[in-house]
Amino acid sequence: GESVGLHLPTLSVQEGDNSIINCAYSNSASDYFIWYKQESGKGPQFIIDIRSNMDKRQGQRVTVLLNKTVKHLSLQIAATQPGDSAVYFCAERFKAAGNKLTFGGGTRVLVKP
Amino acid sequence: DSGVTQTPKHLITATGQRVTLRCSPRSGDLSVYWYQQSLDQGLQFLIQYYNGEERAKGNILERFSAQQFPDLHSELNLSSLELGDSALYFCASSRGGQNTEAFFGQGTRLTVV
């Protein structure tokens, strides 16, 4: 199935530093990827997306990098702030599977003041 | 605020019972997606509706069903509830049926006792 498991890696970052969150996706035919942020008690919040015909996309303080050769996605957060503390999920879409999103297990980011 | 509204926020019910979770998508969004988030399984896609019709199915149990109404709101029905059904249930919506830029509601926390 699409179980993503219990393990939740944690990234501790000093306030003001840059954060890099990594994600290995499973399907080389996935054509679209999204990063979500989930704060405690809230639903996942869309951060940024990227299509498979791109390898980099920038937003406000965030950059997503896609390396299709090794099926790797990363989210870079510049000048990390306390409000960035959350669990971050990557998700991949495999169009031939009905466009459903498959989520990774998540990474917890803790920002230290 | 994502614009996706879910009710109720919390639900406590006994095993064997049936509950209905409700989702109102963002204005103009035609697709509704349901997800289950539990501690040991992460975010699991359940089902997608697009403009009233089922579009994609994920790991949805036979005891669960959903529908999308003409006004585009959706309901997820969970029956013969078991302790293991305790989880957060999220609804997300997107403009089209391609599962791009899906925005999540705040979720319904279901506790089965």
Side-chain angles (χ1 to χ4, degrees):
Chain A
E2 295 164 343
S3 170
V4 293
L6 179 59
H7 176 65
L8 197 61
T10 299
L11 176 68
S12 288
V13 184
Q14 201 68 39
E15 182 179 355
D17 287 353
N18 297 333
S19 304
I20 299 177
I21 307 163
N22 295 304
C23 176
Y25 63 91
S26 59
N27 194 329
S28 57
S30 290
D31 66 334
Y32 176 74
F33 306 86
I34 309 179
W35 279 100
Y36 283 95
K37 170 187 179 184
Q38 187 174 22
E39 297 173 272
S40 182
K42 297 186 178 180
Q45 175 188 353
F46 175 91
I47 302 174
I48 192 167
D49 58 0
I50 188 168
R51 297 189 184 275
S52 59
N53 61 353
M54 303 171 69
D55 52 24
K56 180 178 180 179
R57 188 160 189 232
Q58 287 186 289
Q60 189 177 12
R61 275 201 314 120
V62 294
T63 301
V64 55
L65 299 177
L66 175 62
N67 185 332
K68 293 183 288 292
T69 303
V70 294
K71 293 190 290 186
H72 184 267
L73 196 65
S74 68
L75 178 70
Q76 300 177 1
I77 305 174
T80 312
Q81 301 168 0
D84 295 327
S85 292
V87 176
Y88 290 79
F89 293 95
C90 67
E92 61 182 298
R93 183 189 75 175
F94 178 37
K95 203 168 185 179
N99 291 319
K100 61 186 179 184
L101 290 177
T102 301
F103 282 79
T107 297
R108 186 180 305 280
V109 171
L110 292 175
V111 181
K112 298 177 287 186
Chain B
D1 182 7
S2 67
V4 179
T5 304
Q6 288 187 249
T7 56
K9 285 189 170 48
H10 302 276
L11 199 49
I12 301 175
T13 190
T15 54
Q17 294 298 304
R18 171 189 166 96
V19 297
T20 297
L21 312 184
R22 184 188 167 101
C23 170
S24 294
R26 290 186 317 159
S27 177
D29 284 0
L30 297 178
S31 270
V32 169
Y33 313 82
W34 286 98
Y35 290 85
Q36 179 191 59
Q37 187 177 40
S38 56
L39 282 176
D40 61 346
Q41 291 286 307
L43 266 164
Q44 296 277 305
F45 169 72
L46 296 177
I47 197 164
Q48 176 198 358
Y49 279 82
Y50 176 75
N51 205 20
E53 296 195 0
E54 184 183 304
R55 175 63 70 97
K57 221 167 186 175
N59 300 325
I60 187 165
L61 300 172
E62 284 191 13
R63 300 184 284 110
F64 297 180
S65 65
Q67 54 184 327
Q68 186 180 27
F69 295 86
D71 66 353
L72 301 177
H73 91 270
S74 177
E75 292 181 355
L76 179 68
N77 301 297
L78 314 176
S79 61
S80 303
L81 284 167
E82 302 174 0
L83 295 177
D85 297 327
S86 296
L88 273 165
Y89 291 85
F90 288 105
C91 166
S93 73
S94 67
R95 199 72 56 181
Q98 305 298 308
N99 213 343
T100 54
E101 277 198 76
F103 289 83
F104 281 74
Q106 295 293 301
T108 293
R109 180 173 292 281
L110 174 67
T111 303
V112 183
V113 297

Short mmCIF file of all heavy atoms in Angstrom, two decimals, chain A residues 1-6 32 34 36 38 41-46 49 51 89 93 95 97-105, chain B residues 33 35 37 39-45 48 55-59 88 90 97-107 109:
data_model
loop_
_atom_site.label_atom_id
_atom_site.label_comp_id
_atom_site.label_asym_id
_atom_site.label_seq_id
_atom_site.Cartn_x
_atom_site.Cartn_y
_atom_site.Cartn_z
N GLY A 1 0.82 -1.20 0.00
CA GLY A 1 0.00 0.00 0.00
C GLY A 1 0.85 1.24 0.00
O GLY A 1 2.03 1.21 -0.33
N GLU A 2 0.24 2.34 0.45
CA GLU A 2 0.95 3.60 0.42
C GLU A 2 1.29 4.07 1.82
O GLU A 2 1.33 5.25 2.09
CB GLU A 2 0.13 4.65 -0.32
CG GLU A 2 -0.03 4.29 -1.77
CD GLU A 2 -1.13 5.08 -2.43
OE1 GLU A 2 -1.96 5.65 -1.72
OE2 GLU A 2 -1.16 5.11 -3.65
N SER A 3 1.52 3.16 2.69
CA SER A 3 1.85 3.52 4.05
C SER A 3 3.13 4.34 4.08
O SER A 3 4.10 4.03 3.39
CB SER A 3 2.05 2.26 4.89
OG SER A 3 2.60 2.57 6.14
N VAL A 4 3.14 5.36 4.90
CA VAL A 4 4.33 6.20 4.99
C VAL A 4 5.04 6.01 6.31
O VAL A 4 6.04 6.65 6.58
CB VAL A 4 4.00 7.69 4.77
CG1 VAL A 4 3.55 7.92 3.35
CG2 VAL A 4 2.94 8.15 5.75
N GLY A 5 4.52 5.15 7.17
CA GLY A 5 5.29 4.77 8.34
C GLY A 5 5.26 5.75 9.47
O GLY A 5 4.73 6.85 9.38
N LEU A 6 5.85 5.36 10.60
CA LEU A 6 5.80 6.13 11.83
C LEU A 6 6.98 7.08 11.99
O LEU A 6 6.87 8.12 12.61
CB LEU A 6 5.76 5.14 13.00
CG LEU A 6 5.72 5.71 14.41
CD1 LEU A 6 4.51 6.58 14.60
CD2 LEU A 6 5.72 4.58 15.41
N TYR A 32 4.30 15.70 -10.84
CA TYR A 32 4.00 16.93 -10.11
C TYR A 32 4.27 16.68 -8.65
O TYR A 32 3.97 15.60 -8.12
CB TYR A 32 2.52 17.28 -10.36
CG TYR A 32 2.00 18.47 -9.61
CD1 TYR A 32 2.33 19.77 -9.98
CD2 TYR A 32 1.13 18.29 -8.54
CE1 TYR A 32 1.82 20.86 -9.29
CE2 TYR A 32 0.62 19.37 -7.86
CZ TYR A 32 0.97 20.65 -8.23
OH TYR A 32 0.46 21.73 -7.55
N ILE A 34 4.43 18.56 -4.55
CA ILE A 34 4.00 19.67 -3.70
C ILE A 34 4.69 19.54 -2.35
O ILE A 34 4.89 18.42 -1.85
CB ILE A 34 2.47 19.66 -3.45
CG1 ILE A 34 1.68 19.55 -4.74
CG2 ILE A 34 2.04 20.92 -2.71
CD1 ILE A 34 0.16 19.52 -4.51
N TYR A 36 3.99 20.64 1.59
CA TYR A 36 3.00 21.15 2.54
C TYR A 36 3.65 21.34 3.90
O TYR A 36 4.57 20.61 4.27
CB TYR A 36 1.84 20.16 2.71
CG TYR A 36 0.86 20.14 1.58
CD1 TYR A 36 0.97 19.22 0.55
CD2 TYR A 36 -0.20 21.05 1.55
CE1 TYR A 36 0.05 19.20 -0.49
CE2 TYR A 36 -1.13 21.04 0.52
CZ TYR A 36 -1.00 20.11 -0.50
OH TYR A 36 -1.91 20.10 -1.52
N GLN A 38 2.55 21.53 7.97
CA GLN A 38 1.45 21.27 8.89
C GLN A 38 1.85 21.66 10.30
O GLN A 38 2.76 21.05 10.89
CB GLN A 38 1.02 19.80 8.85
CG GLN A 38 -0.23 19.52 9.67
CD GLN A 38 -0.74 18.11 9.52
OE1 GLN A 38 -0.01 17.20 9.14
NE2 GLN A 38 -2.02 17.91 9.79
N GLY A 41 -2.23 20.77 15.18
CA GLY A 41 -3.66 21.03 15.27
C GLY A 41 -4.29 21.64 14.04
O GLY A 41 -5.46 22.00 14.05
N LYS A 42 -3.50 21.76 12.98
CA LYS A 42 -4.03 22.38 11.76
C LYS A 42 -3.89 21.43 10.57
O LYS A 42 -3.19 20.43 10.62
CB LYS A 42 -3.27 23.68 11.46
CG LYS A 42 -3.45 24.74 12.52
CD LYS A 42 -2.80 26.04 12.09
CE LYS A 42 -3.02 27.13 13.11
NZ LYS A 42 -2.38 28.41 12.70
N GLY A 43 -4.57 21.79 9.50
CA GLY A 43 -4.46 21.01 8.28
C GLY A 43 -3.19 21.38 7.51
O GLY A 43 -2.60 22.42 7.74
N PRO A 44 -2.77 20.51 6.60
CA PRO A 44 -1.59 20.83 5.77
C PRO A 44 -1.83 22.11 4.98
O PRO A 44 -2.91 22.33 4.44
CB PRO A 44 -1.48 19.61 4.86
CG PRO A 44 -2.16 18.50 5.60
CD PRO A 44 -3.29 19.17 6.33
N GLN A 45 -0.79 22.92 4.91
CA GLN A 45 -0.87 24.20 4.22
C GLN A 45 0.04 24.16 3.00
O GLN A 45 1.23 23.85 3.12
CB GLN A 45 -0.45 25.31 5.19
CG GLN A 45 -0.37 26.70 4.59
CD GLN A 45 0.25 27.69 5.57
OE1 GLN A 45 0.50 27.37 6.73
NE2 GLN A 45 0.53 28.88 5.09
N PHE A 46 -0.50 24.45 1.84
CA PHE A 46 0.28 24.46 0.61
C PHE A 46 1.42 25.48 0.71
O PHE A 46 1.20 26.62 1.11
CB PHE A 46 -0.65 24.82 -0.56
CG PHE A 46 0.03 24.99 -1.88
CD1 PHE A 46 0.17 23.90 -2.73
CD2 PHE A 46 0.53 26.21 -2.27
CE1 PHE A 46 0.79 24.05 -3.96
CE2 PHE A 46 1.16 26.37 -3.49
CZ PHE A 46 1.28 25.29 -4.33
N ASP A 49 4.84 24.29 -5.24
CA ASP A 49 4.76 23.09 -6.08
C ASP A 49 5.76 23.19 -7.23
O ASP A 49 6.32 24.26 -7.49
CB ASP A 49 3.34 22.86 -6.61
CG ASP A 49 2.81 24.04 -7.44
OD1 ASP A 49 3.53 25.04 -7.61
OD2 ASP A 49 1.65 23.95 -7.90
N ARG A 51 6.54 21.17 -11.23
CA ARG A 51 6.23 20.13 -12.21
C ARG A 51 7.50 19.42 -12.62
O ARG A 51 8.60 19.96 -12.48
CB ARG A 51 5.52 20.74 -13.42
CG ARG A 51 4.18 21.36 -13.05
CD ARG A 51 3.37 21.78 -14.25
NE ARG A 51 2.14 22.45 -13.84
CZ ARG A 51 1.02 21.82 -13.52
NH1 ARG A 51 0.98 20.51 -13.58
NH2 ARG A 51 -0.04 22.49 -13.14
N PHE A 89 5.66 18.06 4.69
CA PHE A 89 5.42 16.88 3.88
C PHE A 89 5.66 17.18 2.42
O PHE A 89 5.26 18.24 1.91
CB PHE A 89 3.94 16.43 3.98
CG PHE A 89 3.52 15.93 5.32
CD1 PHE A 89 2.92 16.77 6.24
CD2 PHE A 89 3.72 14.60 5.67
CE1 PHE A 89 2.51 16.31 7.47
CE2 PHE A 89 3.31 14.13 6.91
CZ PHE A 89 2.71 14.98 7.81
N ARG A 93 2.55 13.30 -7.37
CA ARG A 93 1.35 12.93 -8.11
C ARG A 93 1.77 12.09 -9.31
O ARG A 93 2.64 12.47 -10.07
CB ARG A 93 0.60 14.16 -8.60
CG ARG A 93 -0.70 13.84 -9.33
CD ARG A 93 -1.29 15.05 -9.99
NE ARG A 93 -0.55 15.41 -11.20
CZ ARG A 93 -0.93 16.39 -12.01
NH1 ARG A 93 -2.01 17.08 -11.75
NH2 ARG A 93 -0.22 16.67 -13.10
N LYS A 95 0.13 10.84 -12.51
CA LYS A 95 -1.08 11.14 -13.26
C LYS A 95 -1.82 9.88 -13.68
O LYS A 95 -3.05 9.81 -13.64
CB LYS A 95 -0.72 11.98 -14.48
CG LYS A 95 -1.87 12.80 -15.02
CD LYS A 95 -1.38 13.81 -16.02
CE LYS A 95 -2.51 14.71 -16.47
NZ LYS A 95 -2.07 15.72 -17.43
N ALA A 97 -2.22 7.26 -12.20
CA ALA A 97 -2.90 6.63 -11.07
C ALA A 97 -4.07 7.49 -10.62
O ALA A 97 -4.45 7.45 -9.45
CB ALA A 97 -1.93 6.39 -9.91
N GLY A 98 -4.60 8.27 -11.52
CA GLY A 98 -5.79 9.05 -11.19
C GLY A 98 -5.50 10.35 -10.49
O GLY A 98 -6.36 10.90 -9.82
N ASN A 99 -4.30 10.84 -10.64
CA ASN A 99 -3.94 12.15 -10.07
C ASN A 99 -3.91 12.20 -8.56
O ASN A 99 -3.82 13.28 -7.99
CB ASN A 99 -4.90 13.25 -10.57
CG ASN A 99 -4.71 13.53 -12.04
OD1 ASN A 99 -3.58 13.57 -12.52
ND2 ASN A 99 -5.78 13.69 -12.76
N LYS A 100 -3.99 11.09 -7.90
CA LYS A 100 -3.97 11.15 -6.44
C LYS A 100 -2.56 11.47 -5.95
O LYS A 100 -1.57 11.14 -6.58
CB LYS A 100 -4.45 9.84 -5.83
CG LYS A 100 -3.62 8.64 -6.18
CD LYS A 100 -4.28 7.37 -5.64
CE LYS A 100 -3.48 6.15 -6.00
NZ LYS A 100 -4.16 4.91 -5.58
N LEU A 101 -2.51 12.15 -4.84
CA LEU A 101 -1.24 12.52 -4.24
C LEU A 101 -0.80 11.44 -3.26
O LEU A 101 -1.61 10.94 -2.48
CB LEU A 101 -1.35 13.84 -3.49
CG LEU A 101 -1.53 15.12 -4.30
CD1 LEU A 101 -1.70 16.31 -3.37
CD2 LEU A 101 -0.35 15.34 -5.23
N THR A 102 0.47 11.10 -3.30
CA THR A 102 1.05 10.20 -2.32
C THR A 102 2.00 11.02 -1.47
O THR A 102 2.92 11.66 -1.99
CB THR A 102 1.81 9.05 -3.00
OG1 THR A 102 0.90 8.32 -3.82
CG2 THR A 102 2.41 8.11 -1.96
N PHE A 103 1.77 11.00 -0.17
CA PHE A 103 2.54 11.82 0.75
C PHE A 103 3.71 11.06 1.34
O PHE A 103 3.63 9.86 1.61
CB PHE A 103 1.65 12.31 1.89
CG PHE A 103 0.76 13.45 1.51
CD1 PHE A 103 -0.40 13.24 0.79
CD2 PHE A 103 1.10 14.75 1.86
CE1 PHE A 103 -1.22 14.29 0.43
CE2 PHE A 103 0.29 15.81 1.51
CZ PHE A 103 -0.88 15.59 0.79
N GLY A 104 4.80 11.77 1.55
CA GLY A 104 5.92 11.24 2.31
C GLY A 104 5.59 11.27 3.79
O GLY A 104 4.55 11.77 4.20
N GLY A 105 6.51 10.72 4.59
CA GLY A 105 6.25 10.58 6.01
C GLY A 105 6.37 11.86 6.81
O GLY A 105 5.91 11.92 7.94
N TYR B 33 -11.11 16.21 -2.11
CA TYR B 33 -10.33 15.02 -1.78
C TYR B 33 -10.48 14.76 -0.29
O TYR B 33 -10.49 15.69 0.51
CB TYR B 33 -8.84 15.26 -2.06
CG TYR B 33 -8.54 15.87 -3.41
CD1 TYR B 33 -8.65 17.24 -3.61
CD2 TYR B 33 -8.14 15.08 -4.49
CE1 TYR B 33 -8.37 17.81 -4.84
CE2 TYR B 33 -7.85 15.65 -5.72
CZ TYR B 33 -7.98 17.02 -5.89
OH TYR B 33 -7.70 17.58 -7.11
N TYR B 35 -8.73 12.71 2.98
CA TYR B 35 -7.53 12.05 3.48
C TYR B 35 -7.74 11.65 4.93
O TYR B 35 -8.46 12.30 5.67
CB TYR B 35 -6.32 13.00 3.42
CG TYR B 35 -5.82 13.30 2.04
CD1 TYR B 35 -6.38 14.32 1.30
CD2 TYR B 35 -4.78 12.57 1.49
CE1 TYR B 35 -5.92 14.61 0.02
CE2 TYR B 35 -4.30 12.85 0.22
CZ TYR B 35 -4.88 13.88 -0.51
OH TYR B 35 -4.41 14.16 -1.76
N GLN B 37 -5.45 10.90 8.37
CA GLN B 37 -4.12 11.02 8.97
C GLN B 37 -4.11 10.39 10.34
O GLN B 37 -4.77 10.84 11.27
CB GLN B 37 -3.69 12.49 9.08
CG GLN B 37 -2.24 12.66 9.53
CD GLN B 37 -1.81 14.11 9.56
OE1 GLN B 37 -2.56 15.00 9.97
NE2 GLN B 37 -0.58 14.37 9.11
N LEU B 39 -1.42 8.34 13.35
CA LEU B 39 -0.02 8.37 13.79
C LEU B 39 0.82 7.34 13.07
O LEU B 39 1.98 7.58 12.75
CB LEU B 39 0.06 8.15 15.30
CG LEU B 39 -0.29 9.35 16.16
CD1 LEU B 39 -0.26 8.98 17.63
CD2 LEU B 39 0.67 10.50 15.88
N ASP B 40 0.25 6.17 12.80
CA ASP B 40 1.07 5.10 12.24
C ASP B 40 0.98 4.98 10.73
O ASP B 40 1.67 4.16 10.14
CB ASP B 40 0.71 3.76 12.91
CG ASP B 40 -0.73 3.39 12.66
OD1 ASP B 40 -1.52 4.25 12.23
OD2 ASP B 40 -1.08 2.22 12.90
N GLN B 41 0.15 5.79 10.10
CA GLN B 41 0.01 5.68 8.65
C GLN B 41 0.20 6.99 7.91
O GLN B 41 0.05 7.04 6.72
CB GLN B 41 -1.39 5.14 8.29
CG GLN B 41 -1.63 3.69 8.68
CD GLN B 41 -0.88 2.73 7.76
OE1 GLN B 41 -1.00 2.80 6.55
NE2 GLN B 41 -0.09 1.85 8.34
N GLY B 42 0.49 8.04 8.59
CA GLY B 42 0.69 9.31 7.89
C GLY B 42 -0.57 9.76 7.18
O GLY B 42 -1.68 9.40 7.55
N LEU B 43 -0.40 10.54 6.12
CA LEU B 43 -1.53 11.05 5.34
C LEU B 43 -1.87 10.05 4.24
O LEU B 43 -1.06 9.81 3.35
CB LEU B 43 -1.17 12.38 4.70
CG LEU B 43 -1.58 13.63 5.47
CD1 LEU B 43 -0.83 14.84 4.94
CD2 LEU B 43 -3.08 13.87 5.38
N GLN B 44 -3.05 9.50 4.31
CA GLN B 44 -3.48 8.50 3.34
C GLN B 44 -4.64 9.05 2.51
O GLN B 44 -5.65 9.46 3.06
CB GLN B 44 -3.94 7.24 4.06
CG GLN B 44 -2.85 6.53 4.84
CD GLN B 44 -2.02 5.63 3.96
OE1 GLN B 44 -2.55 4.77 3.27
NE2 GLN B 44 -0.72 5.82 3.99
N PHE B 45 -4.48 8.99 1.21
CA PHE B 45 -5.54 9.43 0.32
C PHE B 45 -6.69 8.43 0.36
O PHE B 45 -6.49 7.22 0.25
CB PHE B 45 -5.00 9.56 -1.10
CG PHE B 45 -6.05 9.76 -2.16
CD1 PHE B 45 -6.73 10.95 -2.27
CD2 PHE B 45 -6.34 8.73 -3.04
CE1 PHE B 45 -7.69 11.12 -3.24
CE2 PHE B 45 -7.30 8.89 -4.03
CZ PHE B 45 -7.98 10.09 -4.12
N GLN B 48 -11.43 10.91 -4.18
CA GLN B 48 -11.58 12.21 -4.83
C GLN B 48 -12.88 12.28 -5.60
O GLN B 48 -13.26 11.32 -6.28
CB GLN B 48 -10.43 12.48 -5.80
CG GLN B 48 -10.57 13.80 -6.58
CD GLN B 48 -9.69 13.86 -7.81
OE1 GLN B 48 -8.93 12.95 -8.09
NE2 GLN B 48 -9.79 14.95 -8.56
N ARG B 55 -13.69 10.50 -8.91
CA ARG B 55 -12.60 10.62 -9.88
C ARG B 55 -11.48 9.64 -9.59
O ARG B 55 -10.89 9.08 -10.50
CB ARG B 55 -12.08 12.05 -9.87
CG ARG B 55 -10.86 12.33 -10.73
CD ARG B 55 -11.12 12.12 -12.21
NE ARG B 55 -11.99 13.12 -12.78
CZ ARG B 55 -11.57 14.21 -13.43
NH1 ARG B 55 -10.29 14.46 -13.52
NH2 ARG B 55 -12.43 15.04 -13.97
N ALA B 56 -11.15 9.45 -8.33
CA ALA B 56 -10.05 8.55 -7.98
C ALA B 56 -10.31 7.97 -6.61
O ALA B 56 -10.96 8.57 -5.77
CB ALA B 56 -8.71 9.29 -7.99
N LYS B 57 -9.82 6.75 -6.44
CA LYS B 57 -10.02 6.06 -5.18
C LYS B 57 -8.67 5.62 -4.63
O LYS B 57 -7.82 5.13 -5.37
CB LYS B 57 -10.89 4.84 -5.41
CG LYS B 57 -11.93 4.59 -4.36
CD LYS B 57 -12.95 3.55 -4.84
CE LYS B 57 -14.06 3.42 -3.85
NZ LYS B 57 -15.14 2.53 -4.31
N GLY B 58 -8.51 5.78 -3.33
CA GLY B 58 -7.27 5.35 -2.70
C GLY B 58 -7.55 4.23 -1.73
O GLY B 58 -8.30 3.30 -2.01
N ASN B 59 -6.96 4.33 -0.55
CA ASN B 59 -7.09 3.27 0.44
C ASN B 59 -8.36 3.43 1.28
O ASN B 59 -8.29 3.49 2.50
CB ASN B 59 -5.87 3.29 1.37
CG ASN B 59 -4.59 3.07 0.60
OD1 ASN B 59 -4.56 2.32 -0.36
ND2 ASN B 59 -3.53 3.76 1.00
N LEU B 88 -7.36 11.81 12.25
CA LEU B 88 -7.78 13.09 11.70
C LEU B 88 -8.22 12.85 10.27
O LEU B 88 -7.52 12.17 9.50
CB LEU B 88 -6.60 14.07 11.68
CG LEU B 88 -6.35 14.89 12.94
CD1 LEU B 88 -4.97 15.51 12.90
CD2 LEU B 88 -7.41 15.96 13.10
N PHE B 90 -9.08 14.75 6.82
CA PHE B 90 -8.95 16.04 6.13
C PHE B 90 -9.66 16.00 4.80
O PHE B 90 -9.66 15.00 4.08
CB PHE B 90 -7.47 16.37 5.88
CG PHE B 90 -6.72 16.76 7.11
CD1 PHE B 90 -5.83 15.88 7.70
CD2 PHE B 90 -6.89 18.02 7.67
CE1 PHE B 90 -5.13 16.24 8.84
CE2 PHE B 90 -6.19 18.39 8.81
CZ PHE B 90 -5.31 17.49 9.39
N GLY B 97 -9.48 18.95 -11.69
CA GLY B 97 -9.44 17.58 -11.22
C GLY B 97 -8.05 17.00 -11.19
O GLY B 97 -7.87 15.81 -10.97
N GLN B 98 -7.05 17.85 -11.40
CA GLN B 98 -5.69 17.37 -11.54
C GLN B 98 -4.91 17.29 -10.25
O GLN B 98 -3.74 16.95 -10.25
CB GLN B 98 -4.92 18.29 -12.51
CG GLN B 98 -5.58 18.45 -13.86
CD GLN B 98 -5.68 17.13 -14.59
OE1 GLN B 98 -4.69 16.42 -14.75
NE2 GLN B 98 -6.88 16.77 -15.02
N ASN B 99 -5.54 17.60 -9.14
CA ASN B 99 -4.90 17.54 -7.83
C ASN B 99 -3.70 18.47 -7.72
O ASN B 99 -2.73 18.17 -7.04
CB ASN B 99 -4.46 16.09 -7.52
CG ASN B 99 -4.56 15.79 -6.04
OD1 ASN B 99 -4.65 16.68 -5.21
ND2 ASN B 99 -4.53 14.52 -5.71
N THR B 100 -3.75 19.57 -8.43
CA THR B 100 -2.71 20.57 -8.27
C THR B 100 -3.19 21.63 -7.31
O THR B 100 -4.38 21.94 -7.25
CB THR B 100 -2.38 21.22 -9.62
OG1 THR B 100 -3.58 21.73 -10.20
CG2 THR B 100 -1.78 20.21 -10.57
N GLU B 101 -2.24 22.16 -6.52
CA GLU B 101 -2.57 23.22 -5.55
C GLU B 101 -3.81 22.91 -4.75
O GLU B 101 -4.74 23.71 -4.67
CB GLU B 101 -2.76 24.56 -6.27
CG GLU B 101 -1.46 25.27 -6.53
CD GLU B 101 -1.68 26.75 -6.81
OE1 GLU B 101 -1.93 27.50 -5.86
OE2 GLU B 101 -1.61 27.12 -8.00
N ALA B 102 -3.86 21.72 -4.18
CA ALA B 102 -4.99 21.36 -3.34
C ALA B 102 -4.83 22.03 -1.97
O ALA B 102 -3.76 21.98 -1.36
CB ALA B 102 -5.07 19.85 -3.18
N PHE B 103 -5.89 22.65 -1.48
CA PHE B 103 -5.89 23.35 -0.20
C PHE B 103 -6.69 22.55 0.81
O PHE B 103 -7.79 22.09 0.51
CB PHE B 103 -6.46 24.75 -0.37
CG PHE B 103 -5.55 25.67 -1.13
CD1 PHE B 103 -5.55 25.66 -2.51
CD2 PHE B 103 -4.68 26.51 -0.46
CE1 PHE B 103 -4.69 26.49 -3.23
CE2 PHE B 103 -3.82 27.34 -1.17
CZ PHE B 103 -3.82 27.33 -2.55
N PHE B 104 -6.14 22.40 1.98
CA PHE B 104 -6.72 21.55 3.01
C PHE B 104 -7.56 22.33 4.01
O PHE B 104 -7.25 23.48 4.34
CB PHE B 104 -5.62 20.81 3.78
CG PHE B 104 -5.05 19.63 3.06
CD1 PHE B 104 -4.21 19.80 1.97
CD2 PHE B 104 -5.37 18.34 3.46
CE1 PHE B 104 -3.67 18.70 1.31
CE2 PHE B 104 -4.84 17.23 2.80
CZ PHE B 104 -4.00 17.42 1.73
N GLY B 105 -8.59 21.66 4.52
CA GLY B 105 -9.33 22.19 5.65
C GLY B 105 -8.60 21.89 6.95
O GLY B 105 -7.50 21.31 6.94
N GLN B 106 -9.22 22.26 8.05
CA GLN B 106 -8.60 22.11 9.37
C GLN B 106 -8.75 20.69 9.92
O GLN B 106 -8.14 20.34 10.92
CB GLN B 106 -9.22 23.10 10.36
CG GLN B 106 -8.93 24.54 10.01
CD GLN B 106 -7.47 24.88 10.15
OE1 GLN B 106 -6.87 24.76 11.20
NE2 GLN B 106 -6.86 25.32 9.06
N GLY B 107 -9.59 19.91 9.28
CA GLY B 107 -9.71 18.52 9.69
C GLY B 107 -10.81 18.27 10.71
O GLY B 107 -11.25 19.17 11.42
N ARG B 109 -11.28 15.68 13.89
CA ARG B 109 -10.63 14.66 14.71
C ARG B 109 -11.69 13.68 15.20
O ARG B 109 -12.59 14.07 15.96
CB ARG B 109 -9.90 15.27 15.90
CG ARG B 109 -9.22 14.22 16.77
CD ARG B 109 -8.36 14.81 17.86
NE ARG B 109 -7.18 15.49 17.35
CZ ARG B 109 -6.08 14.89 16.94
NH1 ARG B 109 -5.99 13.57 16.98
NH2 ARG B 109 -5.04 15.59 16.50
#
